[in-house]
């Protein structure tokens, strides 16, 4: 995955996902039921995307890909990673991490919201 459109399309394919630009025209935010699960600067090349991640997995990924998986920029460093998408990270891993972020955020939603998403 190397384009904002690929990132955006995959994120928007998830049930209950919306997009907006609350931090200015350059920062795309993807949300599930109003909660952020991905954000990226659409003007940056290569793309850097912030994704939520289970803390232990976040550390493992940072060790395995030290140049491409970094503590989340302007986010809680324990729960968020910044991924540098320059083609080095396997595309299937990036898609998996987007899905993982979505799932973690969705897990924290209210029972009614999770039910609306078909997660119960």
């Amino acid at each position: 995955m190397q384009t904002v459109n690929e990132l955006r399309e995959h994120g928007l394919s998830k049930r209950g996902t919306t997009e907006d630009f609350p931090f200015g025209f350059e920062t795309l935010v993807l949300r599930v039921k109003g909660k952020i699960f991905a954000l990226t600067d659409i003007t940056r090349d290569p793309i850097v995307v912030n994704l939520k991640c289970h803390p232990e997995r976040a550390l493992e990924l940072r060790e395995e890909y030290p140049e491409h998986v970094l503590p989340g920029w302007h986010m809680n460093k324990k729960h968020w990673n910044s991924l540098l998408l320059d083609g080095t990270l396997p595309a299937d891993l990036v898609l998996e991490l987007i899905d993982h972020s979505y799932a973690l955020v969705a897990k924290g939603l209210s029972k009614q919201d999770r039910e609306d998403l078909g997660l119960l």
Side-chain angles (χ1 to χ4, degrees), residues 26-83:
E26 70 281 346
T27 306
L28 170 66
V29 174
L30 297 176
R31 302 171 187 262
V32 55
K33 291 288 189 170
K35 302 290 183 180
I36 296 173
F37 72 92
L39 61 153
T40 186
D41 181 339
I42 64 170
T43 65
R44 187 165 174 170
D45 186 25
I47 302 163
V48 175
V49 61
N50 284 358
L51 298 171
K52 193 163 189 176
C53 191
H54 185 276
E56 290 175 16
R57 182 134 191 243
L59 292 174
E60 291 169 4
L61 289 164
R62 292 174 198 168
E63 287 178 16
E64 187 172 352
Y65 303 100
E67 301 295 319
H68 294 84
V69 180
L70 307 166
W73 187 69
H74 284 300
M75 306 297 279
N76 180 317
K77 310 291 188 239
K78 181 177 179 180
H79 296 278
W80 288 82
N81 281 332
S82 292
L83 279 60

Side-chain angles (χ1 to χ4, degrees), residues 11-13 18 26 35 38 45 49 51 54 63 68 83-84 86 92 96 98 100 108 112-113 120:
L12 289 174
S13 74
T18 58
E26 70 281 346
K35 302 290 183 180
D45 186 25
V49 61
L51 298 171
H54 185 276
E63 287 178 16
H68 294 84
L83 279 60
L84 176 64
D86 65 356
D92 59 336
E96 177 197 336
I98 294 168
H100 177 64
Q112 181 62 56
D113 283 344
L120 291 180

